[in-house]
Amino acid sequence: MNTSAMVFRQLFEPVSSTYTYLLGCSETREAVLIDPVMPAWQRDLQVVNELGLRLVMTIDTHIHADHITSASMLRREAGSRVAIPALDALPCTDVPIHDGVPLQVGGVRIDPMHTPGHTDNHFALLAGDRVFTGDALLIDGCGRTDFQSGDPRALYESVRGRLFTLPGETLVYPGHDYQGRWVSSIAQEKQRNPRLGADRTLEDFVELMANLDLPYPKFIDYAVPGNRLCGQCPPDLPEHLRQYCQEMAESPQG
Ligand code: FE
């Protein structure tokens, strides 16, 4: 299917500043959610329903450290199948994601691209003229590489050797943005990404990533085990972290 005939929504979850993407087939009415987040699962399902779509699959680009996926919740509530990178070998996976093996949702074809570096098993997802870059490539940035088998050398190769070989007009939809930016393009990131664009060398990038001096991720010790179970909220969550599992208070979708 031409992506102009694809139903598409970009949804934002404010606790972790995560973008969730809804891709639907306008003919079969089947839909997929990329990187759905626990506190927003009801909002996301409502959007799917309002568009007259049926959720058949969720896809996680990687094992997240900053939020809990709603994949299991949506499987239970909507009957969707859980797609996770095969390399993670999670027993709760319904659809193992492999590089170069397309996922088909009605007429929507999604091509998984193994893009390690943020995590070793990270995937970007290409759907026609759009690429969902997860935490490999962000707008004017990239995901951190200091946890979860992160490797700046691998990320440099994933972005410059792989994502940057896509056509320049390919739209870049990131896994997060912390400054209200929604979309970029491969041409724009190649030109002006301050970490990975223009003439940044591998050595520049490795040094830059080694000196970011970022704080320890505050939710990682709960998120990673929860996501290795395809999205289980831990029962022992401290008060100040409960927002990660509580339902979204307000829906920006109305
Ligand atoms: Fe991540």
Side-chain angles (χ1 to χ4, degrees), residues 35 61-67 118-119 122 134-136 138 143-144 148 175-176 178:
D35 285 337
T61 54
H62 62 294
I63 307 270
H64 305 282
D66 64 333
H67 68 263
H118 171 62
T119 71
H122 182 285
D135 294 356
L138 304 178
R144 59 197 293 177
Q148 296 183 279
H176 300 281
Y178 305 93

Side-chain angles (χ1 to χ4, degrees), residues 10-14 39-48 50 247-254:
Q10 183 173 12
L11 303 157
F12 184 67
E13 192 287 315
W41 75 267
Q42 286 172 304
R43 185 272 313 263
D44 295 346
L45 201 51
Q46 192 184 334
V47 174
V48 171
E50 281 171 1
E247 190 189 327
M248 239 168 95
E250 253 175 68
S251 165
Q253 298 298 311

Side-chain angles (χ1 to χ4, degrees), residues 165-217:
T165 64
L166 294 170
E169 65 271 23
T170 307
L171 296 172
V172 170
Y173 286 99
H176 300 281
D177 195 83
Y178 305 93
Q179 295 172 54
R181 296 165 298 196
W182 292 72
V183 61
S184 181
S185 70
I186 290 295
Q188 177 166 300
E189 293 311 311
K190 278 170 85 166
Q191 187 181 349
R192 49 167 275 180
N193 188 296
R195 293 185 180 179
L196 288 151
D199 54 1
R200 279 281 187 190
T201 66
L202 174 62
E203 287 66 36
D204 292 339
F205 182 65
V206 170
E207 192 187 331
L208 185 150
M209 295 307 282
N211 292 297
L212 287 179
D213 209 21
L214 296 168
Y216 186 76

Side-chain angles (χ1 to χ4, degrees), residues 230-250:
C230 294
Q232 297 295 322
C233 275
D236 54 343
L237 211 48
E239 183 70 39
H240 72 285
L241 294 174
R242 294 212 180 127
Q243 58 176 337
Y244 286 95
C245 281
Q246 267 157 9
E247 190 189 327
M248 239 168 95
E250 253 175 68

Side-chain angles (χ1 to χ4, degrees), residues 116-117 145 150-159 202-203 205-206 209:
T145 54
D151 176 356
R153 291 173 181 278
L155 187 58
Y156 187 90
E157 179 54 28
S158 290
V159 173
L202 174 62
E203 287 66 36
F205 182 65
V206 170
M209 295 307 282

